[in-house]
Amino acid sequence: METQKTHTDEKKILLYELLQIIKALYPNVKTVNPYQEQIQEYLNDLPVKEQLLYKEIVHGLTLLNKQSRISERQKIITGKTDILNAMQLMDFKQLPNQNQSLEAYEKLYKKYKNKPFTKLDVQVYLRKSKSTIRRYFIDLKQLELIEKLNEKENYRALYRLKRKQQLFPEQETKSIFEQANEEWENYQSWTDLTYRT
């Protein structure tokens, strides 16, 4: 038990050191967290020091990822991934349900991607009880990772997963040969020496 506490204390010291480095790198840059209200109910159970540390970590992660974040009025907007990463760094043992919900989300996204599904489908696939699935859905709705559709299937509501925030659309990956071939076809610098004067 004592070793776990020491490990947690060491981890917190490292987090504080990381935050000091980030403050030194970006002393005047401000961030905006649009998800603060949604996440606050989870933070209310934590001691004030833990809440402040969490907010500082979210701020720091937003700054580290600022190249891929949207800016508004000289403030960088926090992404959902910053929030999820901060939770993982803090190792919230007070939020076991949410961590399980996020693990369930990853499993469901591998299976369904953008396809609609019902709660019963999820219950069967994850082999979890109805109440557990209900808790997962509540957590994922608060993090805006799932949406309820207007359609129904056999009188059951349909849902669809949203992907974690991606600011840049995924580009098609082409083989090196295809990329080189495109460059060759578009090359305009060749001149016919017979027509040269």
Side-chain angles (χ1 to χ4, degrees):
M1 196 75 167
E2 216 37 57
T3 53
Q4 187 177 2
K5 188 174 185 241
T6 308
H7 169 71
T8 307
D9 290 343
E10 287 175 7
K11 187 173 182 180
K12 280 187 186 172
I13 290 168
L14 291 173
L15 286 173
Y16 280 117
E17 288 176 355
L18 173 65
L19 292 172
Q20 290 299 321
I21 292 168
I22 294 169
K23 280 181 186 175
L25 290 172
Y26 307 104
N28 300 322
V29 183
K30 295 185 180 180
T31 61
V32 176
N33 184 355
Y35 308 103
Q36 185 58 41
E37 287 179 22
Q38 296 170 358
I39 211 72
Q40 189 59 45
E41 65 185 75
Y42 292 109
L43 298 178
N44 287 338
D45 297 334
L46 298 174
V48 175
K49 280 185 180 180
E50 299 277 319
Q51 290 184 36
L52 293 173
L53 177 60
Y54 174 77
K55 288 176 184 177
E56 286 293 319
I57 290 172
V58 170
H59 172 73
L61 290 174
T62 304
L63 290 175
L64 287 176
N65 296 315
K66 73 180 191 130
Q67 298 300 330
S68 61
R69 296 288 176 260
I70 299 170
S71 296
E72 183 180 278
R73 296 182 189 158
Q74 297 179 341
K75 292 181 181 177
I76 301 163
I77 299 174
T78 299
K80 291 174 195 167
T81 51
D82 299 324
I83 290 169
L84 298 176
N85 289 332
M87 284 182 172
Q88 210 155 19
L89 280 174
M90 288 285 290
D91 195 23
F92 282 158
K93 291 187 171 46
Q94 293 89 339
L95 308 174
N97 292 340
Q98 190 179 35
N99 290 335
Q100 291 170 1
S101 300
L102 294 173
E103 288 172 15
Y105 168 83
E106 294 297 335
K107 289 177 186 174
L108 291 173
Y109 195 83
K110 285 178 186 172
K111 178 169 176 60
Y112 292 107
K113 299 223 184 314
N114 292 323
K115 296 177 190 170
F117 52 85
T118 64
K119 281 186 179 177
L120 182 63
D121 295 333
V122 173
Q123 193 177 337
V124 170
Y125 178 66
L126 295 178
R127 297 180 184 171
K128 299 286 182 185
S129 69
K130 191 175 183 178
S131 59
T132 302
I133 298 302
R134 191 181 305 120
R135 276 197 317 269
Y136 289 171
F137 275 52
I138 290 168
D139 288 341
L140 295 177
K141 278 181 191 174
Q142 287 178 336
L143 292 170
E144 296 180 14
L145 293 174
I146 194 168
E147 64 181 342
K148 187 175 182 179
L149 303 176
N150 293 329
E151 308 158 24
K152 290 191 174 188
E153 180 182 280
N154 297 331
Y155 304 104
R156 290 191 177 101
L158 285 172
Y159 297 86
R160 180 179 294 136
L161 295 172
K162 296 180 181 179
R163 194 58 186 146
K164 291 177 188 172
Q165 186 174 6
Q166 290 181 340
L167 298 173
F168 303 108
E170 294 179 15
Q171 297 176 347
E172 292 180 24
T173 52
K174 297 180 181 176
S175 69
I176 294 173
F177 175 76
E178 289 172 338
Q179 291 173 8
N181 194 28
E182 281 180 8
E183 289 176 17
W184 176 261
E185 288 174 359
N186 295 333
Y187 191 66
Q188 300 293 323
S189 293
W190 299 111
T191 56
D192 190 350
L193 293 176
T194 56
Y195 294 109
R196 201 167 167 197
T197 55

